[in-house]
Amino acid sequence: MDVLNVLIQEKPVVIFSKSSCCMSHSVETLIRGFGANPTVYDLDRIPNGQQIERALMQLGFRQSVPAVFIGQQLVGNERNVMSLHLQNQLVPLLIQAGAIWI
């Protein structure tokens, strides 16, 4: 859990991904489309990737990627992000987190 806190600390948007995951790429593209600049960690390319995956599972996250944090809070996977977007709640969340300005 501490490993996650260190990685998401003081970052408005963090996406835990894998380089081969097309859904992670889609979520990143969507968020960037609003002008945010998410920090992306490809778990298959960083030394402690497996440790981070275990920490995500301890949070109750069933699938490992994409795991999206906005404002240091776990938003969820691509379905959760898309649901927020369709309900017009994603942009206000990004604004509240300081990821974008209007």
Side-chain angles (χ1 to χ4, degrees):
M1 211 59 148
D2 288 337
V3 67
L4 288 177
N5 290 332
V6 168
L7 294 173
I8 66 171
Q9 187 177 354
E10 298 181 21
K11 295 179 181 85
V13 182
V14 174
I15 301 171
F16 292 100
S17 176
K18 287 190 177 174
S19 59
S20 61
C21 179
C22 63
M23 295 314 300
S24 296
H25 177 72
S26 297
V27 167
E28 178 184 353
T29 301
L30 174 68
I31 291 172
R32 286 188 189 280
F34 293 117
N37 188 24
T39 300
V40 179
Y41 295 104
D42 285 327
L43 299 181
D44 57 337
R45 292 188 174 175
I46 58 176
N48 60 343
Q50 290 181 340
Q51 179 186 8
I52 295 168
E53 279 190 85
R54 284 191 298 274
L56 289 167
M57 298 284 213
Q58 288 176 349
L59 286 176
F61 204 69
R62 298 229 179 260
Q63 74 181 58
S64 60
V65 295
V68 180
F69 287 78
I70 299 176
Q72 292 77 41
Q73 299 296 315
L74 177 61
V75 170
N77 61 19
E78 72 280 355
R79 289 181 182 178
N80 302 111
V81 172
M82 289 305 296
S83 177
L84 286 170
H85 176 52
L86 292 173
Q87 297 171 23
N88 295 316
Q89 295 176 356
L90 182 58
V91 170
L93 198 56
L94 292 169
I95 292 169
Q96 182 181 356
I100 60 175
W101 298 269
I102 55 171

